[in-house]
């Protein structure tokens, strides 16, 4: 596994790029209009000795005191629009109250959670900024979003030495994984970063398929990345009486229609840097053409519901649960209501996890492969709102340090022994499979949206233990071996150089901010036209719509990314 090697390469490249950063716009000042003369109520002493240049106060939690005047700390939490595997109200539930009681009350901090629509993050933040009500902490997984927020003045700089004093454990974790290299935007410190274990894979994002249907069709395994064999399989499924085996749902949400499995490898660096980012669908590229031509084939051959464009994700999920769809894809966790419901409805149903092959091949007919989008060593990226007061920023730093304490992080991730989890014979925690109806019910993916500020994935120290911990519990089948095989297959693909992290830019790409929503809206419209047109019309229509897409702003995005690449303001393709 080259996780550390990847990180060192990226860190070195990005630090160099950031040193030359020329971000437009400016962040708010650190006082953000607050009356700094009244800031003698700070909960943490950061007074430095003049002779040593270091703080004489006790660093970390042992040096904290309650604020003299109550401070409000607002923390974003994703609202995924569903109570399927989480609390009905993401802003007010058992765990938000637990944080208040165990952290906020102790330090005279009122902790408020602010719901952010997961599928429309940028719009929500823009509306909050316009109303001057940004949460104290502004955070996202995507680097370019933070760069855009800095360029638009959403964020303020912070004092790294003060952060080290208030949150030494959090900073040490950043240093341990090399993420202290990514704090700067426009050559100033704006960001602190959580960690992403196993960042060179996406192994927790799994496709479940009907193993019983596959076997009935005469196949022994799911042909990941081999579209020619997939067409043979789908045809047989329909022949066996499974109407619309791929179900179908409208295209929506961030990161739609990713084309990593349709690119040529090794990638061309210019194409990778200018059109490879998953945020804006790369209509006009060869990889996107291959992907959409495949979608057109599936639609015209009758494998999708012909009204897919009117259906939301819950309808496609219901098809799978009701035994009408061949596959369902989502994040794996120990508690999965989708699987619980599936087995209740289909007690004799047999599922399996699609496993990434360890040997990379490309389908000559379709240009498809098992390549995927790996991440990086950093997970959530965090900035502080431009109008946050000095005390509010300190409260945010305290929260990050408190959450990073092993006992607090463990409780937020696993819950309460005997309620949310139990220990096995090896002393490892095992989550309770069905938490429905519990006051202590955890949110999406074992509360991930509350502890992601520290780490993107919970870990017990080894991939085997970690997969065991997230393997769905309380169901008729055990998917541990398949999830582990999928992880190992992805590592092999990564090691072979057939999976590359996205290009990161140390300067804002203004065209992305300006045209992102326009291009997203256009893409969803054009995508449906390209999916539903006749096969013989596809090539000409793709060329026509690609040109319109370029003229609507995508060409400006490409040109500005090219300029950043030429100026050395990006990571490099490895």
């Amino acid at each position: 596994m080259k996780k550390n090697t990847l990180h060192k390469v990226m860190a070195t490249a990005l630090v160099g790029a950031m040193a030359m950063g020329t971000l437009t716009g400016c962040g708010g000042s650190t006082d953000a209009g607050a009356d700094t003369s009244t800031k003698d109520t700070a909960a943490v002493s950061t007074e430095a000795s003049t002779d040593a240049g270091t703080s004489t106060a006790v660093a970390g939690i042992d040096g904290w005191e309650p604020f003299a005047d109550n401070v409000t700390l607002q923390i974003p939490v994703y609202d995924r629009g569903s109570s399927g595997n989480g609390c009905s109200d993401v802003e007010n539930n058992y765990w938000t109250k637990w944080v208040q009681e165990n952290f906020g009350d102790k330090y005279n901090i009122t902790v408020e959670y602010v719901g952010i629509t997961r599928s429309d993050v940028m719009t929500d933040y823009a509306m909050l900024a316009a109303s001057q009500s940004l949460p104290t902490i502004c955070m996202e997984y995507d680097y370019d979003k933070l760069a855009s927020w800095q360029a638009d003045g959403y964020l303020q700089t912070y004092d790294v030495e003060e952060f080290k004093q208030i949150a030494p454990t959090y900073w040490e974790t950043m240093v341990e994984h090399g993420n202290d290299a990514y704090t700067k935007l426009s050559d100033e410190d704006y960001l602190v970063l959580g960690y992403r274990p196993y960042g060179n894979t996406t192994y927790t994002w799994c496709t479940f398929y009907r193993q019983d249907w596959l076997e009935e069709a005469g196949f022994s395994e799911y042909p990941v990345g081999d579209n020619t064999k997939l067409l043979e399989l789908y045809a047989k499924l329909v022949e066996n009486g499974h109407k619309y085996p791929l179900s179908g749902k409208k295209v929506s949400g961030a990161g739609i229609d990713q084309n990593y499995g349709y690119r040529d490898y090794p990638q061309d660096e210019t194409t990778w840097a200018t059109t490879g980012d998953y945020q804006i669908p790369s209509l006009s590229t060869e990889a996107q053409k291959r992907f959409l031509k495949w979608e057109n084939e599936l639609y015209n051959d009758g494998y999708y519901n012909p009204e897919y464009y009117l259906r939301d994700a819950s309808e496609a999920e219901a098809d799978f649960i009701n035994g009408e769809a061949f596959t369902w894809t989502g994040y794996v966790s120990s508690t999965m209501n989708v699987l619980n419901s599936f087995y209740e409805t289909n007690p004799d149903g047999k599922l399996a996890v699609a496993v990434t092959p360890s040997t990379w091949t490309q389908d000559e007919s379709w240009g498809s492969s098992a390549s995927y989008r790996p991440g990086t060593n950093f997970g959530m990226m965090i900035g502080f709102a431009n109008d946050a007061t000095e005390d509010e920023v300190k409260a945010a730093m305290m929260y990050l340090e408190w959450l990073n304490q092993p006992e607090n992080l463990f409780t937020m991730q696993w819950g309460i022994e005997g309620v949310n989890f139990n220990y096995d014979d090896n002393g490892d925690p095992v989550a309770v499979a069905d938490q429905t109806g519990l006051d202590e019910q955890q949110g999406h993916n074992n509360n991930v949206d509350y502890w992601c500020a520290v780490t993107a994935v919970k870990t017990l120290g080894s991939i085997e233990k970690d997969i065991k911990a997230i393997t769905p519990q309380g169901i008729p089948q055990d998917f541990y071996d398949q999830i582990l095989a999928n992880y190992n297959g992805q590592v092999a693909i990564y090691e072979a150089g057939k999976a590359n992290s996205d290009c990161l830019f140390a300067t804002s790409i203004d065209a992305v901010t300006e045209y992102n929503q326009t291009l997203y809206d256009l893409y969803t419209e054009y995508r449906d036209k390209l999916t539903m047109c006749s096969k013989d019309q596809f090539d000409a229509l793709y060329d026509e719509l690609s040109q319109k897409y370029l003229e609507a702003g995508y060409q400006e995005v490409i040109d500005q990314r090219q300029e950043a690449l030429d100026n050395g303001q990006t990571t490099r393709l490895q």
Side-chain angles (χ1 to χ4, degrees):
M1 187 167 55
K2 290 184 179 179
K3 177 172 59 179
N4 293 332
T5 302
L6 165 71
H7 170 75
K8 290 175 182 177
V9 170
M10 293 184 64
T12 302
L14 197 55
V15 169
M18 286 180 174
M20 296 181 285
T22 56
L23 282 173
T24 58
C26 58
S29 62
T30 54
D31 61 15
D35 182 0
T36 56
S37 66
T38 65
K39 292 294 180 265
D40 56 359
T41 61
V44 184
S45 172
T46 56
E47 184 177 347
S49 67
T50 55
D51 56 344
T54 57
S55 173
T56 59
V58 177
I61 291 177
D62 290 341
W64 297 356
E65 295 179 356
F67 286 95
D69 298 319
N70 185 263
V71 174
T72 297
L73 169 62
Q74 292 187 320
I75 304 168
V77 58
Y78 288 137
D79 186 343
R80 298 175 183 271
S82 171
S83 60
N85 188 34
C87 304
S88 58
D89 183 352
V90 297
E91 297 179 350
N92 182 25
N93 56 64
Y94 178 90
W95 294 103
T96 64
K97 294 173 183 176
W98 190 87
V99 172
Q100 179 62 54
E101 293 170 2
N102 290 273
F103 168 72
D105 291 351
K106 188 173 183 178
Y107 300 106
N108 198 21
I109 298 169
T110 297
V111 181
E112 296 178 354
Y113 285 89
V114 179
I116 301 293
T117 307
R118 183 64 184 111
S119 60
D120 204 8
V121 168
M122 296 302 279
T123 298
D124 278 10
Y125 270 96
M127 292 177 65
L128 290 167
S131 62
Q132 297 184 326
S133 55
L134 283 167
T136 316
I137 289 173
C138 301
M139 63 186 194
E140 242 297 319
Y141 289 113
D142 300 313
Y143 189 87
D144 63 334
K145 291 179 182 176
L146 275 297
S148 294
W149 292 346
Q150 188 275 339
D152 290 340
Y154 291 11
L155 309 178
Q156 61 174 280
T157 59
Y158 72 97
D159 185 335
V160 169
E161 294 306 314
E162 179 185 37
F163 187 86
K164 291 178 182 178
Q165 178 71 21
I166 296 173
T169 308
Y170 195 98
W171 182 264
E172 288 166 7
T173 302
M174 287 175 55
V175 172
E176 177 186 354
H177 301 295
N179 291 338
D180 57 321
Y182 303 112
T183 63
K184 293 185 183 297
L185 292 170
S186 194
D187 207 29
E188 294 187 274
D189 292 304
Y190 280 94
L191 306 181
V192 296
L193 304 95
Y195 174 51
R196 180 179 296 279
Y198 315 115
N200 57 347
T201 74
T202 58
Y203 79 93
T204 60
W205 179 255
C206 289
T207 293
F208 291 86
Y209 65 89
R210 293 294 299 263
Q211 178 70 19
D212 43 4
W213 292 13
L214 186 91
E215 293 171 355
E216 291 171 4
F219 283 71
S220 59
E221 61 183 15
Y222 187 94
V224 176
D226 188 336
N227 285 7
T228 299
K229 288 186 178 178
L230 281 172
L231 285 178
E232 296 175 8
L233 170 60
Y234 298 154
K236 192 64 177 178
L237 293 178
V238 172
E239 182 181 327
N240 289 343
H242 302 296
K243 187 178 182 181
Y244 310 140
L246 299 185
S247 180
K249 61 183 178 180
K250 60 186 175 184
V251 179
S252 64
I256 56 175
D257 284 2
Q258 298 180 25
N259 63 29
Y260 298 87
Y262 292 84
R263 301 180 185 183
D264 291 321
Y265 294 86
Q267 295 190 65
D268 169 73
E269 185 170 61
T270 297
T271 303
W272 165 80
T274 59
T275 64
D277 175 71
Y278 85 106
Q279 295 284 344
I280 299 178
S282 55
L283 192 67
S284 75
T285 66
E286 179 62 25
Q288 203 71 16
K289 182 177 183 179
R290 291 171 178 173
F291 169 81
L292 290 174
K293 197 161 192 172
W294 171 244
E295 293 297 304
N296 175 271
E297 180 82 12
L298 298 178
Y299 178 85
N300 278 287
D301 287 355
Y303 303 133
Y304 282 132
N305 186 313
E307 295 186 341
Y308 79 90
Y309 55 93
L310 300 174
R311 312 175 81 238
D312 61 28
S314 64
E315 293 177 272
E317 183 178 292
D319 286 346
F320 180 73
I321 290 171
N322 293 329
E324 298 171 359
F326 178 55
T327 62
W328 178 84
T329 301
Y331 285 107
V332 173
S333 66
S334 54
T335 302
M336 296 184 67
N337 283 355
V338 171
L339 298 187
N340 294 338
S341 298
F342 170 84
Y343 287 111
E344 288 175 6
T345 307
N346 308 275
D348 297 324
K350 184 179 178 182
L351 300 177
V353 171
V355 174
T356 300
S358 58
T359 301
W360 186 88
T361 59
Q362 187 170 31
D363 186 326
E364 293 183 3
S365 298
W366 292 95
S368 57
S369 72
S371 295
Y372 62 96
R373 175 182 180 262
T376 63
N377 270 12
F378 54 77
M380 189 61 77
M381 287 160 278
I382 298 165
F384 306 108
N386 61 0
D387 59 353
T389 67
E390 182 180 340
D391 281 356
E392 289 166 353
V393 172
K394 286 182 178 179
M397 293 177 177
M398 292 167 66
Y399 169 74
L400 294 175
E401 177 72 0
W402 174 84
L403 185 60
N404 201 42
Q405 301 307 301
E407 64 274 16
N408 299 326
L409 184 61
F410 182 91
T411 300
M412 288 299 290
Q413 291 180 331
W414 290 98
I416 301 169
E417 183 182 2
V419 178
N420 306 102
F421 78 95
N422 294 290
Y423 288 104
D424 64 15
D425 294 339
N426 297 317
D428 294 324
V430 178
V432 172
D434 187 359
Q435 300 181 17
T436 304
L438 294 177
D439 289 341
E440 302 89 348
Q441 181 183 9
Q442 293 179 296
H444 173 77
N445 199 4
N446 302 114
N447 273 347
V448 66
D449 295 329
Y450 297 98
W451 46 262
C452 58
V454 172
T455 178
V457 179
K458 62 182 181 182
T459 178
L460 295 172
S462 74
I463 187 60
E464 291 79 12
K465 284 188 175 183
D466 292 341
I467 289 180
K468 181 180 178 182
I470 66 166
T471 297
Q473 302 294 308
I475 56 178
Q477 293 183 257
D478 182 1
F479 299 108
Y480 170 84
D481 289 339
Q482 294 168 20
I483 297 172
L484 179 60
N486 186 49
Y487 166 82
N488 288 329
Q490 289 192 350
V491 170
I493 296 293
Y494 175 82
E495 295 279 3
K498 307 301 185 181
N500 307 117
S501 297
D502 288 346
C503 182
L504 298 180
F505 296 87
T507 182
S508 70
I509 307 299
D510 294 337
V512 171
T513 303
E514 181 176 356
Y515 297 113
N516 183 65
Q517 190 60 47
T518 297
L519 293 173
Y520 175 86
D521 292 341
L522 269 182
Y523 180 81
T524 56
E525 174 190 345
Y526 291 171
R527 200 270 201 199
D528 288 338
K529 290 182 177 180
L530 287 164
T531 299
M532 294 186 284
C533 71
S534 63
K535 294 181 183 181
D536 60 1
Q537 293 177 326
F538 179 87
D539 288 342
L541 185 59
Y542 187 85
D543 292 342
E544 175 190 340
L545 297 182
S546 292
Q547 186 59 40
K548 291 182 178 180
Y549 194 70
L550 290 166
E551 293 170 355
Y554 194 47
Q555 187 61 58
E556 289 191 43
V557 171
I558 293 172
D559 292 343
Q560 289 185 22
R561 288 173 172 171
Q562 180 70 62
E563 182 179 1
L565 178 66
D566 293 342
N567 291 337
Q569 295 172 304
T570 70
T571 49
R572 309 299 296 191
L573 180 59
Q574 297 295 329

